[in-house]
Amino acid sequence: MTAAVAFAGMRRVSPVVFKAGCPDCRGRFELAASALRLAIGATSRTTFYSFTCPECGTAVRKPAGERVVELLTGGGVRTLRLHSTV
């Protein structure tokens, strides 16, 4: 099978973007998956996503519930699984 045959009929996919907001400057913007990081911990308190505000440069960290985790991982956001030291 050639590459042309394998990829025949496939469409070009648009990159995923996520809407976000900065709690410091109150800016609203869209971020590519590459601009976000997701950390999945043992509890909801240790599961969060983070990014740097493109408007003011503040490091932003927000909690991520199950639905947010699902959306971010499905959209290609890099994920770090945190391990318990217990």
Side-chain angles (χ1 to χ4, degrees):
M1 177 183 298
T2 67
V5 171
F7 293 106
M10 291 183 73
R11 298 181 294 139
R12 177 169 283 197
V13 177
S14 300
V16 175
V17 292
F18 297 93
K19 292 184 180 185
C22 177
D24 283 0
C25 72
R26 305 235 184 257
R28 306 285 303 159
F29 38 82
E30 291 183 342
L31 296 172
S34 61
L36 295 153
R37 299 291 179 271
L38 174 64
I40 300 176
T43 68
S44 60
R45 295 182 71 188
T46 58
T47 300
F48 61 91
Y49 66 98
S50 61
F51 58 91
T52 300
C53 176
E55 294 184 14
C56 70
T58 298
V60 178
R61 178 175 162 167
K62 295 187 174 187
E66 289 182 30
R67 180 69 178 139
V68 171
V69 168
E70 183 180 316
L71 291 170
L72 294 177
T73 55
V77 172
R78 282 188 242 172
T79 303
L80 171 66
R81 296 199 181 269
L82 305 174
H83 297 282
S84 173
T85 58
V86 177

